[in-house]
Amino acid sequence: MREVAQRIASAMLAATTALGCATALRAQPVVEPAVAAPLPAPRLALFVSGNVGRAPAEAFGGIVVRDVRAVSLEYEQALLGSSRGGVAWTPALHPALGMSGVPTTDALIFYDCVRNFEPSATPCVAQWSDRRTATAVALEPFALRAWRRIGRVELAVRPGIGAALFPRAIPIPEGRRLNALLRLDAEVATALGARQRLVVRYGWWHLSNAGSAPLNPGVDVLQLRVGVTRALGRR
């Protein structure tokens, strides 16, 4: 009888222990695996831009180019982050990067004049009366956009490096057709709908031949850019 009682007690203890473990497991919350937030959908943008004020070039102290304007297409692919902020790769194609007032006469004539007058003096600038518009095709493959969303507004900065090919040497005949393009823009964007955004940028553009020509009068421009972006895909 003692052995039977011990077996019954052992069975009851085992059953109670098993019931307690099952109850404890049932009471524990189920932890779902963490799922990373999806990156924002790729975007395509169209921009138009023009310089704010005059476009100076360092050519013996003279104002060489009058205006710089551009039409640009830009692609944006998020690299990291979420809809609240992050970093994206933003290569751009500038099919029409135009400079107006590019001189076609020899810069050394202007230099001889500047030696006898003050830089940018009217007698010197008048010698460069033959001015035309030069329009380049520019590609900007190395560009990033870092942004932060605050409500319906996005604040961003966008540095970029590329190259521009003009039909003739700019900004003076002693320059080069192929010039480096450097950009640094500050941006404000706001949603126009579920997929569109209105973007306003203000920034510094620099064009120069990087010392590859006998003369390197770099052009520095402050550009105001306005554009519209649209999300691609179904997200």
Side-chain angles (χ1 to χ4, degrees), residues 145 154-157 185-189 197 199-202:
R145 178 177 178 267
E154 282 188 6
L155 304 178
V157 293
D185 293 338
E187 173 189 312
V188 178
R197 282 195 315 230
V199 182
V200 177
R201 289 178 178 169
Y202 183 73

Side-chain angles (χ1 to χ4, degrees), residues 168-229:
R168 62 178 183 276
I170 62 97
I172 58 176
E174 292 82 2
R176 283 273 190 261
R177 293 180 58 199
L178 183 63
N179 286 261
L181 171 63
L182 304 178
R183 288 178 52 195
L184 180 60
D185 293 338
E187 173 189 312
V188 178
T190 184
L192 292 178
R195 302 173 70 84
Q196 290 82 23
R197 282 195 315 230
L198 174 66
V199 182
V200 177
R201 289 178 178 169
Y202 183 73
W204 166 77
W205 287 36
H206 174 78
L207 283 159
S208 74
N209 60 53
S212 62
L215 296 177
N216 182 28
V219 178
D220 294 285
V221 186
L222 294 178
Q223 287 272 302
L224 179 64
R225 298 169 59 74
V226 179
V228 176
T229 73

Side-chain angles (χ1 to χ4, degrees), residues 13-38:
L13 179 60
T16 304
T17 303
L19 180 61
C21 292
T23 304
L25 291 174
R26 190 181 305 168
Q28 290 181 354
V30 178
V31 179
E32 298 290 341
V35 178

